[in-house]
Amino acid sequence: MNLKILAAAVLLIISGCKTENTDEASGKKITAVSSINIISDIVKNIGGDKVESFSICGVGVDPHTYHAKPSDPRLISKSNIVFINGFNLEHWIEEMISSAGSEVKKVTVSEGITPITDEKGFGDPDPHAWFDVKYAKIYAENIAKGLSEADPKNADYYNENLKKYLTELDNLDNWIKDEIQKIPEEQRILITSHDAFRYFGKAYGMEVKGLQGISTEAKVRTEDFKNIIDLIKSKKIKSVFVETSVNPKLLEQISQETGVVVGGTLFSDSIGNEGTPEGSYTGAVKFNVNTIVNSLK
Ligand SMILES: [Zn+2]
């Protein structure tokens, strides 16, 4: 390693430490840890400059099959509040919190939402409620309440940010409804790798079919594979969609067998890279809707 690279590496380490230690540096910020980056982005919107917001699952990481890193309990132990989605998405979180060894306030952001349950009758709640924007509003309200309890002196500030963010979400909700209208009614069928879009379909009027069930842990059965191929042929579906956090292999195989086009890659259980338009919840949803509408209209 030459000296320049070494100096750059040292600088990186120093600046990395600095951003992680902002409690001390600014003296004021509280630390919030979320299970997935969809939630940590909403926390950023509500928490503004009073909250340092982290996510356990990074960009493109599948939360259904997540394996804890040694640094995760450490992150939780120095946090003031932990936000989880609930509906069995984070079956790994309890162990993580208990190995963090400290009492930390845990908030389930989906509280108050009645989940869609598995149509196959197992009664498992579908965790992907964030794709109905009116449910994302409930997430935001639960987050504002949690932050206000963890940091009461800034409660007015969080509620002010909540108000602004709810307006942004209302605008997004209306925009999606208008956009979906551009797809011919008989083409409003969304086929994806895993069943992450049932709330989306229900809210915005699309039939949805995932090759895998509501968790990527489920095995794909030959029968499901065949059913999707039949559906594509009978409805003359033009495009299917892969996801950033799920292996695209099986849908690509379906594409080869049927000639259906892979219309794009959707954000399902993770948003995009920070600093890009898709690095926010609202940006990722807009990207998805544009991708779906452009491929199916
Ligand atoms: Zn999922």
Side-chain angles (χ1 to χ4, degrees):
M1 194 187 277
N2 72 32
L3 267 179
K4 257 187 193 165
I5 296 174
L6 185 68
V10 169
L11 256 180
L12 252 179
I13 292 165
I14 293 170
S15 58
C17 293
K18 217 176 176 181
T19 48
E20 283 193 14
N21 268 335
T22 43
D23 303 43
E24 279 171 49
S26 72
K28 296 274 183 269
K29 289 191 185 188
I30 62 164
T31 301
V33 174
S34 303
S35 54
I36 55 174
N37 56 21
I38 292 155
I39 299 172
S40 68
D41 174 65
I42 302 177
V43 173
K44 278 178 197 165
N45 278 277
I46 311 293
D49 56 14
K50 309 288 185 207
V51 176
E52 199 70 23
S53 175
F54 297 95
S55 172
I56 303 256
C57 293
V59 172
V61 172
D62 177 357
H64 299 284
T65 56
Y66 185 70
H67 293 288
K69 300 189 296 292
S71 58
D72 294 335
R74 277 206 296 279
L75 185 60
I76 287 179
S77 71
K78 66 170 195 176
S79 72
N80 303 85
I81 188 162
V82 172
F83 291 105
I84 69 162
N85 182 73
F87 297 148
N88 302 342
L89 179 68
E90 306 96 340
H91 47 83
W92 34 266
I93 198 86
E94 292 304 332
E95 200 186 323
M96 207 180 268
I97 291 174
S98 70
S99 58
S102 59
E103 287 278 305
V104 59
K105 182 179 169 62
K106 186 184 78 177
V107 172
T108 303
V109 298
S110 63
E111 203 180 294
I113 296 170
T114 305
I116 296 176
T117 49
D118 194 333
E119 61 194 4
K120 285 167 188 137
F122 297 115
D124 291 331
D126 181 336
H128 308 92
W130 57 85
F131 279 131
D132 180 339
V133 177
K134 72 173 181 292
Y135 288 157
K137 289 172 69 180
I138 295 180
Y139 282 29
E141 282 163 356
N142 285 328
I143 288 166
K145 189 165 164 259
L147 291 177
S148 300
E149 283 166 11
D151 182 24
K153 67 181 184 306
N154 287 315
D156 288 347
Y157 174 80
Y158 298 134
N159 284 317
E160 205 46 51
N161 285 348
L162 172 67
K163 242 188 259 169
K164 282 183 229 154
Y165 193 61
L166 291 180
T167 307
E168 193 182 335
L169 293 182
D170 279 332
N171 294 338
L172 178 65
D173 193 46
N174 290 328
W175 177 81
I176 300 171
K177 285 174 184 153
D178 290 345
E179 285 301 302
I180 298 298
Q181 296 303 312
K182 295 178 181 169
I183 306 170
E185 217 175 324
E186 69 283 0
Q187 287 291 316
R188 287 180 204 156
I189 303 172
L190 180 61
I191 297 180
T192 57
S193 304
H194 92 299
D195 235 341
F197 296 93
R198 288 200 290 176
Y199 291 91
F200 179 86
K202 201 174 168 194
Y204 305 108
M206 289 195 78
E207 191 183 324
V208 295
K209 271 277 174 275
L211 188 53
Q212 276 175 299
I214 54 170
S215 172
T216 55
E217 286 179 304
K219 285 227 164 62
V220 177
R221 299 175 306 171
T222 326
E223 192 191 324
D224 295 330
F225 204 80
K226 196 184 157 292
N227 287 343
I228 294 245
I229 288 177
D230 289 346
L231 181 71
I232 290 168
K233 287 181 176 161
S234 70
K235 302 263 178 161
K236 298 189 173 63
I237 289 166
K238 289 195 277 189
S239 300
V240 296
F241 301 89
V242 293
E243 299 163 45
T244 61
S245 53
V246 183
N247 189 331
K249 211 176 61 203
L250 286 167
L251 265 194
E252 285 169 357
Q253 199 177 326
I254 286 188
S255 162
Q256 277 162 14
E257 281 193 34
T258 59
V260 72
V261 174
V262 175
T265 306
L266 303 181
F267 294 98
S268 53
D269 297 358
S270 166
I271 56 176
N273 285 312
E274 214 177 329
T276 66
E278 297 78 37
S280 68
Y281 164 73
T282 54
V285 169
K286 276 182 204 155
F287 177 91
N288 283 354
V289 172
N290 283 327
T291 304
I292 293 166
V293 172
N294 287 332
S295 304
L296 296 179
K297 77 178 178 194

